[in-house]
Amino acid sequence: MFRILHPNEVFITEQVGGDNDRDLVEMVLPKTCKPFPHLNLEEQRQNFEDAGFEIVRAEGQDFLTFSLV
């Protein structure tokens, strides 16, 4: 994102987390390990902050807006 996002521009994304459709997976394949446990708001938010982005807004487990600092 740093290569294409200019200062003061905003990037908005909606991500599917590691718990997406988890209830369905558990119903069909009980006790299945999560394939992407790191895909959660807390860890991904930290990754973006560590990369130098300012988090403008984050909601629930699947909404994150960030901009170049």
Side-chain angles (χ1 to χ4, degrees), residues 3-45:
R3 289 182 330 150
I4 59 174
L5 194 63
H6 294 101
N8 299 318
E9 287 186 336
V10 176
F11 176 78
I12 299 171
T13 183
E14 182 178 5
Q15 300 295 315
V16 175
D19 288 327
N20 185 55
D21 292 330
R22 193 67 197 163
D23 54 342
L24 177 62
V25 172
E26 283 295 322
M27 185 174 52
V28 177
L29 300 166
K31 301 184 192 305
T32 301
C33 293
K34 294 181 183 180
F36 307 105
H38 63 284
L39 293 181
N40 59 69
L41 179 60
E42 295 77 26
E43 287 185 56
Q44 297 309 310
R45 179 181 188 143

Side-chain angles (χ1 to χ4, degrees), residues 45-69:
R45 179 181 188 143
Q46 189 62 54
N47 288 340
F48 279 102
E49 288 175 341
D50 291 347
F53 288 96
E54 174 190 0
I55 305 302
V56 177
R57 181 176 164 187
E59 294 179 2
Q61 296 180 351
D62 56 5
F63 188 81
L64 183 64
T65 304
F66 56 91
S67 64
L68 190 59
V69 178

